[in-house]
Amino acid sequence: MDRINASVDFDRRLYAEDIRASAAHADMLVRQGIITAADGAEISRGLALVLAEIEGDRFTFERALEDIHMNVEARLAELIGAPAGRLHTARSRNDQVATDFRLWVRAQIDTLDAALCELQSALIDRAEEHAATIMPGFTHLQSAQPVTFGHHLLAYVEMVGRDRGRLRDARVRLNECPLGAAALAGTSFPIDRAATAQALGFDRPMANSIDAVADRDFALEFLSAAAIAAMHLSRLAEELVIWSSAQFRFIRLSDAYSTGSSIMPQKRNPDAAELVRAKAGRIIGALIALLVVMKGLALAYGKDLQEDKEPTFDAADSLALAVAATTGMIRDLTVDAAAMRAAAASGFATATDLADWLVRTLGLPFRRAHEITARIVSRAEAKGCALDALPLAEMQAEEPGITAAVFEVLTVERSVASRTSLGGTAPQRVRDAVRAARARLV
């Protein structure tokens, strides 16, 4: 029972939030005349001492006291005596832990937002540097159309921006204070819940005392946003793994983010990217774990809710580490522009440009142009040459109206430069997008 019931081994991470909320609660009790100013001053002094002991690694956590709340309160009683017993007036561990956990998740959101902003900055910097660096764009991991590396990186800037938006949205809904809900029904003491909410930086007290102690939507929203962000990082990590392989050689990860093999001296393993990719599984698993915990709980509080913290702590740690590693890889990687350009020129990546030329120049319906282009590609494939190396006569055998002017659109440079629509891959559009992204980066 001791082992299954105690949570202090992991919820000790809430010590700063617990002490901060206790101090705010004590101040409110004094202002409302519920405890004396002398007792309030002693509680405040004692809480500061407890905080200093924990931060100085001089505090002994006792599993027999179950959780962080009772550990702090017991030590407070040892330090200041009887006044410590007044701190728990008009509150319960139920509203206490709900408040502490909200404060912790809110701080994690703020920290992650700053880290994700730094990742965006790294991506934007590299996108500007490679606004005109041509690479193959893929669908189905097959060469599709030429794009620029800068354009590709900016796709992740947009994805990370949405991640930050989801976290900020979650923060808005999180920012209500449970303190004062007590066990589940409120309290008969004349407390000022608005005062404690304001002191702790919340927008308002939670409106319903049952919901205040039973709700963990804030943790679920955080985990949901974290899971989507981790999925985005995993997609980028997968591309870094592919691009750094000997078969692609588009990029080279620095020694700081690669490792060697224990028996194969030639290896440069993209371990950091692979671990970022794997972290997504832990973070997504944390979301599922807490959803399953919550799905069958009757209101208000059940000890099941003790299982909310470990997955949330682990997910926050894992995501923070993955974001930092990804930012480092993006800033440190070296691009092989020649390898990218050579790959973009293979695989008949300008076939769509040929079809578009047939539509614009000869006035053909696109479906007809598509059919003709497919047959021309087959001819080039049979000859083992690129489209821009296929003799004009071969093209005219499929469509007599084709002229030598068609070769102007068949280079990868011309293809990329022509994609000038909003959000397109033309280098100038990429530079415009870089400026716009920087302007949004706050």
Side-chain angles (χ1 to χ4, degrees), residues 2-15 54 59-72 93 303 306 309-310 313:
D2 286 343
R3 289 176 60 196
I4 197 170
N5 191 53
S7 60
V8 70
D9 291 342
F10 54 85
D11 70 15
R12 66 178 64 183
R13 290 185 67 162
L14 300 176
Y15 75 87
I54 296 175
F59 189 96
T60 302
F61 291 95
E62 300 287 350
R63 183 179 284 180
L65 294 171
E66 294 186 12
D67 55 35
I68 184 62
H69 322 296
M70 295 305 295
N71 269 264
V72 169
R93 280 189 291 177
K303 198 61 180 270
Q306 184 169 290
K309 294 168 200 65
E310 286 184 284
F313 292 162

Side-chain angles (χ1 to χ4, degrees), residues 306-320:
Q306 184 169 290
E307 294 296 315
D308 58 358
K309 294 168 200 65
E310 286 184 284
T312 307
F313 292 162
D314 185 73
D317 292 345
S318 296
L319 183 56

